[in-house]
Amino acid sequence: MTRSRHSLFTEDTLAEERVDLAPGAVLLRGFVTAEVAALVDAVNTIAAASPFRNMITPGGHRMSVAMSNCGDAGWVTDRTGYRYDPRDPETGKPWPPVPDIFKILAVRAAAEAGFANFSPDVGLINRYEPGTRLSLHQDRDEHDYRAPIVSVSLGIPAVFLFGGAERSERPRRIRVENGDVAVWGGPARMFYHGVAPLKDGFDPLLGNRRINLTFRKAL
Ligand code: MD3
Ligand code: FE
C-alpha cells in the first residue's frame, strides 16, 4: 500500500490524502470534505421523493441497509432477484435525477483515480445505522465492467471489507470517514467487498447514521 500526501490545508484542517489500495482501487481521503453539507442536502431532497427502504433479498431476508436511488435507473432487490429498475417500485415513478453536485464529484474522483470519461447513470444511496452491515459481495449487476464505481462516505465512520477476486480471500479492513471517496475500477472492479457492522457514533449533520453514495455506469 502506498500513500502519497496530495495536499494539506492546515489553516482550516481540510486534509486530503491519496491511498492506493490495489491496482484500480484508490481511496481519496477527504476528497469531498468541503462539500459534505451540500451532499447531505441533496440526499435529503432525493429521499423526500424516493424514501429510504429496507429491501428484501431473493432469499427472503430484509436488508439492514436502507436504500434509495437517483438516476436513469436504481438498484433494487425483491423476491424475484436483483436488477436496475428505471422506476422506484415503491412510488411507481422514475427515480429522482442525479444532482449536478453528485455528477461533478463522481467524474472528478474517477479522473483523479485515472478513469477518464466516467459517465455514471445511477446513484445508489445506502443508509446505515449502528449494527447495520453489508455482507461480502461483488457488484455484478452492471452491464459495463470497464467503468469504475465511485463511492462517497458521509456521516459516522465505517470499515470497508476489501477482498479479492475470490470469495475465499480474507478481506482487508479499511476505515472510511465523512468526506472520503473511493474509486474501484480496472483489475479491482470485480473484487469482493462489504461493510463491517457499524459502530455507534455521532455526526453533526447525520446523527448516528452513515450514508454511502455509489455512482455507477449500470445501463
Ligand atoms: C466495488 N456499498 O452498494 S462501495 C454497494 O459502503 C456497496 O455502502 C458500499 O458495496 C457501502 O454495493 C460502498 C465499497 C466497495 C469496496 C470495494 C469494491 C465497492 C467495491 C471493490 C470492487 C468494486
Ligand atoms: Fe458493492
Side-chain angles (χ1 to χ4, degrees):
M1 181 156 84
T2 56
R3 283 182 162 80
S4 66
R5 198 39 55 82
H6 184 245
S7 55
L8 276 172
F9 309 96
T10 44
E11 285 170 6
D12 46 10
T13 69
L14 284 180
E16 285 186 45
E17 185 183 31
R18 176 194 180 101
V19 183
D20 292 310
L21 298 169
V26 182
L27 175 59
L28 303 169
R29 288 203 171 118
F31 194 70
V32 295
T33 301
E35 297 169 80
V36 161
L39 296 172
V40 170
D41 280 349
V43 168
N44 289 335
T45 300
I46 292 163
S50 277
F52 285 103
R53 80 293 307 261
N54 297 89
M55 299 183 196
I56 307 296
T57 66
H61 299 285
R62 176 180 183 272
M63 294 186 74
S64 64
V65 182
M67 297 177 161
S68 185
N69 288 277
C70 56
D72 298 337
W75 187 87
V76 298
T77 175
D78 58 22
R79 288 308 300 248
T80 72
Y82 311 114
R83 66 183 181 280
Y84 281 98
D85 197 314
R87 287 176 182 273
D88 177 349
E90 293 296 320
T91 65
K93 295 193 284 198
W95 300 96
V98 180
D100 285 341
I101 186 173
F102 284 9
K103 269 188 212 152
I104 290 165
L105 91 80
V107 170
R108 193 165 68 86
E112 181 77 20
F115 299 94
N117 307 117
F118 183 46
S119 63
D121 45 26
V122 168
L124 169 62
I125 309 174
N126 291 163
R127 191 185 68 190
Y128 296 76
E129 293 173 358
T132 301
R133 63 196 290 273
L134 189 61
S135 55
L136 214 61
H137 66 279
Q138 291 172 301
D139 291 6
R140 51 187 321 152
D141 299 322
E142 301 74 27
H143 286 293
D144 184 359
Y145 297 151
R146 291 169 306 182
I149 291 176
V150 173
S151 155
V152 179
S153 291
L154 303 172
I156 68 177
V159 173
F160 279 163
L161 307 173
F162 181 50
E166 308 291 335
R167 185 184 285 279
S168 57
E169 214 170 303
R170 180 221 288 245
R172 293 153 63 186
R173 298 171 65 89
I174 298 153
R175 183 183 154 99
V176 287
E177 293 180 5
N178 191 30
D180 290 354
V181 175
V183 182
W184 319 97
R189 172 63 182 77
M190 299 311 291
F191 282 11
Y192 281 89
H193 61 277
V195 179
L198 217 70
K199 295 235 171 81
D200 258 313
F202 179 78
D203 175 81
L205 294 177
L206 290 170
N208 66 347
R209 286 178 167 155
R210 169 176 188 261
I211 298 280
N212 184 268
L213 315 172
T214 47
F215 300 105
R216 302 147 185 262
K217 177 128 193 82
L219 306 179

